[in-house]
């Protein structure tokens, strides 16, 4: 192969040719490690199908520059793309083509800019990017590339991109539980590494590849059952607006997961979703434009788990408000979804959280009444038919922490759920908030700015006066009332707007009044309550 320091139109053609050759050779290997988002063993086939369409479009087409060659390849790939991985690959080409428009030859700086554009285009197309996937590998590449003119030629940029991608791919099992459980790297990411290795070979003439550890995953012991469908179509939108596309993503996310709405041309979009209702997915498109080139394929997912669930087939996940609390829970190895204050998680967010564990039995701990209700609504979703999903009722994040404290993966699944539910129910909950407006309560009138104390959702005291002192009085007052009926452990989650030193005040108060009680305090990061307290 004739090497080239930079990427011209002939080099683009050779690159696509090498991609087809290598993805054909790797198809079985990539299909064999395909476990996320659905273990349907088709990622390698989808990538090959997509890139083959790009090659066929370039054959016999006269293109004077690299930018035009990339545009031809991208348009064909977008229209032929199959599966999540195929759509993402098509957006990689589309992003590069957009950056290189009108450019005859891409030098190192231009290629780096094109790959960063590819990252933006692919990420923008996916409704909810997930760490540990093809997108993570692509973003690692984008971040590592030099920014600016520099002296690195295109071959050097491609070599750095391929090396970075291989390193990011090796890290994907540490980012996504489904991969760790199966003992594999991400299949789409493996395909992207092959694509970048092909670019290196095109520009250097050397067929070298950074070694990638890939462990085969077999589905031989699984019982296939077509529970859901992969629905793909092109959608022509007469007058697209950002709000309209956001509404389409939301509608598709309510039906299933792996939602992609990718630009496919002027007023045209490539739609992809895994869902149980084919008609509803098409109707969502009809509400916004004209669907065409519709393709539907069954997704073969494992059958129901046996009644006796091994520890590796079980998982506990959490849904909370407050980044600090999410970091605390996630630091202990529990997958956690953080939701904006006063917000609710989307259906796709919850589906991704549950399915990302790759576990047959999933226990959900949601840190609030509304979060618990949202989690309960999704348990009956058709996408979760092959999993046993149980929501432990929690009205406060302190009850989530109590449940996690007694979680034992060696116990039987049912017994473990009961233990966590009992721990959560036995934890009395208190909170201190600052009144946002005047209100009448059971214990008197609260004026905006007063500190209001709650126990198990009921107002028990109101403290007016100095800002810092009123919060201290409310906190110690709530604590005394909760401990009046007993307790051995107090857990406090400190809100984002809590006064400095409040935990010291509580510690000193307990040492003086209840030295037998243990106190633990954590940053919660919540904005709706100054303090959240739990007593066990």
């Amino acid at each position: 192969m004739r090497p080239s320091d930079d990427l011209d139109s002939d080099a683009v053609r050779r690159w696509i040719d090498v991609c087809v050759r290598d993805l054909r050779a790797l198809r079985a290997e990539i299909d064999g490690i395909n476990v996320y988002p659905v273990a349907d063993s088709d990622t390698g086939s989808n990538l090959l199908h997509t890139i083959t369409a790009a090659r066929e479009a370039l054959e016999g087409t006269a293109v004077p520059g690299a930018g035009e060659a990339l545009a031809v390849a991208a348009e064909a790939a977008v229209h032929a793309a199959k599966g999540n991985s195929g759509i993402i690959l098509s957006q990689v080409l589309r992003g590069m083509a957009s950056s290189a428009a009108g450019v005859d030859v891409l030098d190192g700086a231009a290629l780096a800019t094109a790959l960063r554009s590819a990252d933006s285009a692919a990420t923008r197309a996916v409704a909810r990017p997930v760490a540990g996937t093809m997108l993570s590998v692509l973003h690692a590449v984008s971040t590592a590339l030099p920014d600016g003119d520099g002296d690195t030629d295109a071959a050097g940029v491609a070599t750095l991109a391929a090396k970075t991608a291989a390193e990011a791919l090796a890290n994907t099992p540490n980012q996504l539980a489904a991969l760790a459980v199966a003992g594999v790297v991400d299949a789409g990411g493996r395909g992207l590494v092959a694509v970048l290795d092909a670019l290196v070979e095109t520009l250097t003439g050397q067929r070298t590849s950074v070694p990638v550890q890939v462990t085969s995953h077999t589905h031989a012991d699984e019982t296939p059952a077509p529970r859901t469908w992969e629905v793909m179509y092109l959608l022509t939108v007469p007058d697209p607006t950002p709000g309209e596309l956001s509404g389409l993503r939301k509608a598709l996310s309510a039906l299933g997961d792996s939602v992609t709405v990718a630009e496919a041309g002027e007023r045209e979009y490539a739609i992809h979703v895994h869902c149980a209702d084919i008609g509803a997915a098409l109707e969502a498109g009809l509400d916004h434009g004209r669907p065409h080139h519709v393709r539907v394929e069954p997704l073969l997912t494992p059958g129901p788990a046996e009644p006796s669930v091994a520890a590796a087939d079980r998982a506990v996940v959490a849904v909370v408000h407050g980044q600090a609390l999410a970091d605390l829970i996630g630091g202990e190895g529990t997958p956690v979804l953080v939701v904006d204050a006063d917000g609710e998680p989307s259906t796709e967010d919850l589906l991704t959280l549950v399915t990302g564990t790759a576990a047959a039995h999933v226990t959900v701990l949601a840190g609030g009444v509304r979060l618990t209700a949202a989690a309960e609504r999704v348990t009956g979703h058709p996408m979760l038919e092959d999993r046993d999903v149980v929501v432990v009722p929690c009205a406060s994040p302190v009850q989530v922490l109590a449940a996690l404290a007694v979680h034992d993966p060696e116990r039987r699944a049912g017994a473990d759920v009961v233990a966590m539910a009992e721990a959560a129910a036995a934890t009395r909950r208190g909170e201190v908030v600052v009144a946002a407006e005047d209100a009448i309560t059971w214990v008197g009138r609260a004026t905006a700015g007063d500190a209001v104390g709650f126990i198990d959702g009921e107002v028990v005291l109101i403290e007016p006066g100095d800002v810092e002192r009123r919060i201290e009085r409310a906190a110690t007052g709530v604590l005394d009332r909760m401990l009046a009926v007993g307790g051995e452990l107090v857990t406090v989650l400190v809100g984002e707007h809590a006064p400095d030193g409040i935990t010291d005040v509580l510690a000193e108060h307990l040492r003086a009044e209840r030295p037998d009680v243990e106190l633990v305090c954590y940053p919660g990061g919540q904005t709706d309550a100054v303090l959240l307290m739990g007593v066990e």
Side-chain angles (χ1 to χ4, degrees), residues 166-177:
E167 293 170 349
L169 176 65
N171 191 46
T172 54
N174 299 324
Q175 299 173 294
L176 191 56

Side-chain angles (χ1 to χ4, degrees), residues 217-281:
H217 174 67
T218 177
H219 307 288
D221 296 331
E222 297 170 353
T223 304
R227 300 175 180 275
T228 53
W229 305 88
E230 181 175 42
V231 182
M232 298 161 282
Y233 55 86
L234 294 176
L235 181 69
T236 301
V237 181
D239 188 19
T241 64
E244 185 171 31
L245 295 179
S246 176
L248 176 58
R249 286 190 178 94
K250 184 176 181 180
L252 293 171
S253 295
L255 297 174
D257 62 5
S258 297
V259 173
T260 305
V261 179
E263 293 183 13
E266 187 176 359
R267 301 194 304 275
E268 193 165 67
Y269 298 84
I271 309 302
H272 176 278
V273 60
H274 292 172
C275 66
D277 192 335
I278 300 169

Side-chain angles (χ1 to χ4, degrees), residues 89-253:
L89 179 57
S90 75
Q91 291 303 297
V92 168
L93 294 174
R94 184 176 176 82
M96 293 181 69
S98 175
S99 173
V103 178
D104 289 340
V105 180
L106 274 67
D107 59 12
L111 179 57
T113 300
L115 289 172
R116 283 193 291 271
S117 177
D119 174 41
S120 299
T123 302
R124 189 167 56 246
V126 178
R128 185 180 185 276
V130 175
T133 63
M134 187 176 181
L135 288 177
S136 300
V137 176
L138 181 59
H139 187 63
V141 170
S142 174
T143 303
L145 293 176
D147 189 7
D149 293 337
D151 297 325
T152 306
D153 58 18
V157 168
T159 300
L160 174 60
K163 180 177 182 295
T164 302
E167 293 170 349
L169 176 65
N171 191 46
T172 54
N174 299 324
Q175 299 173 294
L176 191 56
L179 304 178
V181 170
V184 298
V185 295
D186 179 65
R190 179 65 186 95
L192 181 62
V193 169
V195 167
L196 292 174
D197 283 341
L199 183 58
V200 173
E201 180 179 343
T202 300
L203 293 173
T204 66
Q206 299 176 358
R207 189 174 186 180
T208 58
S209 173
V210 178
V212 176
Q213 181 92 27
V214 177
T215 304
S216 296
H217 174 67
T218 177
H219 307 288
D221 296 331
E222 297 170 353
T223 304
R227 300 175 180 275
T228 53
W229 305 88
E230 181 175 42
V231 182
M232 298 161 282
Y233 55 86
L234 294 176
L235 181 69
T236 301
V237 181
D239 188 19
T241 64
E244 185 171 31
L245 295 179
S246 176
L248 176 58
R249 286 190 178 94
K250 184 176 181 180
L252 293 171
S253 295

Side-chain angles (χ1 to χ4, degrees), residues 376-440:
E376 288 175 338
R377 285 195 296 271
V378 86
T379 57
H381 197 283
M383 294 294 294
L384 300 179
E385 284 184 0
D386 60 329
R387 289 175 171 84
D388 182 15
V389 181
V390 179
V391 179
V392 171
C394 295
S396 169
V398 293
Q399 294 179 325
V400 171
L401 295 179
L404 285 171
V406 301
H407 166 53
D408 183 356
E410 300 305 318
R411 256 196 307 247
R412 288 189 306 105
D416 195 42
V417 169
V418 170
M420 286 189 285
E422 289 178 345
T427 301
R428 298 190 300 283
R429 52 191 173 88
E431 59 185 300
V432 175
V433 304
V434 175
E437 57 186 17
D438 295 352
I440 300 297

